[in-house]
Amino acid sequence: MAGNISNTAAPITNCLSKLQSVNGLFAVYKKKGPTSADVLNTLKEALLKEAGVKNPNPRKRKKQSLKMGHGGTLDSAACGVLVVGVGSGTKMLSTMLTGSKKYVAVGELGKATDTLDATGSVILEKDFEHITRSDFEEKLKAFTGDIMQVPPLYSALKKDGQRLSVLLLKGHKVEAKPARPVTVYNLTLQEFNPPLFTLDIECGGGFYVRSLVDDLGKALSSCAHVKELTRTKQGQFTLEEHTLQEEQWKLEHVLRTLQPCSESEAGKNSKKPTETDQKKPAENNT
């Protein structure tokens, strides 16, 4: 009997040890709906279950059996690339937070919401029929390069240790954070079918697509909000080539797409990640 227990336990221990020996970065596909934290916990739970861990608690922070984090919050209403660090790879995540990202955003003219996206309540409606494609493309020039941007109130930024979005949902008054410098490397109008428009955006860390679309609406003597948002690239990870779909959240697929890192490489990037891209807590992005 004892021998049977030992033989059963050994493979489980070996599987967990193999998982815990993984160090590096990889990317998963985040669908619309769950928060970035939810996605990370679901991923961690799937990997631990595959390794034979019974009733894993991915939210437990102390004595974690698997160290994992993500490289930049994506709003619950958004989808696309979510970079994940595992093991010492979590120390590399600060480079993901500050590095280049690409998005495709569908915006809607004529309506502004309190969250600056489609999850919020409409707080303003204005005419947009005067806006032409050439007007729109001309305004984009002012939002390209090094610019100043005010983050949304509904964001992952914090005040006194709590996210601004949490404070708002609790009924607290929240003042807007001051404008801060951000970088837009490329900004193009792909489609213009009023009231809808589609933007291709490449930006640096700390940039909010929701703020961009809101500011564009104002600059065009109207208003606007983000209707759909997809992160298509983060760092070297692209939506088409590198993201693992949920059914691929297994160790063999992680190992195949992993960008491994050594302890020495991780040590060079061990600066603790700061809040950047994004919104409501139990959701979250740009």
Side-chain angles (χ1 to χ4, degrees):
M1 181 76 174
N4 291 336
I5 293 175
S6 177
N7 291 336
T8 303
I12 292 175
T13 303
N14 290 338
C15 288
L16 182 58
S17 296
K18 186 177 181 180
L19 177 61
Q20 290 172 327
S21 69
V22 177
N23 298 285
L25 299 172
F26 63 100
V28 299
Y29 177 76
K30 180 203 168 297
K31 62 185 179 182
K32 295 179 183 178
T35 70
S36 296
D38 289 339
V39 170
L40 190 67
N41 287 327
T42 301
L43 169 65
K44 187 186 293 187
E45 185 175 13
L47 292 173
L48 288 171
K49 280 187 175 180
E50 184 191 16
V53 178
K54 292 184 178 180
N55 303 316
N57 181 2
R59 298 177 186 275
K60 188 176 180 181
R61 294 194 175 274
K62 291 186 178 180
K63 296 182 179 180
Q64 296 183 76
S65 54
L66 181 61
K67 188 177 181 182
M68 189 175 282
H70 67 73
T73 305
L74 197 57
D75 287 338
S76 61
C79 62
V81 179
L82 186 68
V83 174
V84 176
V86 59
S88 59
T90 56
K91 297 178 182 179
M92 305 284 288
L93 291 175
S94 59
T95 62
M96 292 293 105
L97 288 167
T98 57
S100 171
K101 304 174 184 70
K102 288 185 178 181
Y103 296 90
V104 173
V106 177
E108 181 177 357
L109 292 164
K111 293 181 181 179
T113 70
D114 53 0
T115 60
L116 310 187
D117 67 10
T119 66
S121 302
V122 176
I123 56 174
L124 178 66
E125 294 190 44
K126 296 187 74 172
D127 178 56
F128 58 86
E129 294 179 357
H130 61 282
I131 302 171
T132 66
R133 185 183 184 106
S134 59
D135 290 336
F136 206 115
E137 290 177 329
E138 184 62 30
K139 290 298 182 184
L140 291 182
K141 296 176 183 178
F143 295 94
T144 304
D146 296 325
I147 63 172
M148 298 298 291
Q149 185 186 68
V150 177
L153 286 178
Y154 282 91
S155 73
L157 298 177
K158 294 182 179 180
K159 177 185 178 183
D160 301 327
Q162 290 196 63
R163 295 191 183 205
L164 298 184
S165 48
V166 172
L167 294 172
L168 283 167
L169 292 172
K170 288 180 178 179
H172 295 286
K173 285 189 175 182
V174 175
E175 292 184 5
K177 290 280 187 178
R180 58 187 187 176
V182 294
T183 302
V184 181
Y185 301 109
N186 189 47
L187 179 59
T188 56
L189 179 64
Q190 295 299 310
E191 295 182 26
F192 185 68
N193 299 298
L196 302 182
F197 60 91
T198 302
L199 298 172
D200 268 4
I201 306 153
E202 182 177 6
C203 58
F207 182 83
Y208 284 83
V209 175
R210 288 179 289 128
S211 289
L212 167 69
V213 170
D214 182 63
D215 290 340
L216 269 170
K218 293 173 182 175
L220 290 162
S221 300
S222 183
C223 56
H225 69 277
V226 173
K227 195 171 180 67
E228 297 177 12
L229 182 61
T230 304
R231 183 189 283 164
T232 58
K233 185 178 181 182
Q234 184 173 7
Q236 68 272 43
F237 298 98
T238 64
L239 183 61
E240 298 81 7
E241 298 180 19
H242 303 106
T243 53
L244 297 178
Q245 300 290 328
E246 192 164 351
E247 61 270 18
Q248 298 175 304
W249 292 358
K250 297 180 180 180
L251 182 57
E252 62 173 305
H253 296 296
V254 170
L255 292 174
R256 192 170 67 242
T257 61
L258 185 76
Q259 178 193 316
C261 70
S262 64
E263 287 291 342
S264 58
E265 287 177 319
K268 295 176 183 178
N269 295 275
S270 59
K271 179 183 176 183
K272 188 176 179 181
T274 56
E275 292 288 352
T276 58
D277 294 309
Q278 297 69 270
K279 160 179 165 191
K280 296 181 200 172
E283 17 94 275
N284 284 318
N285 154 238
T286 353

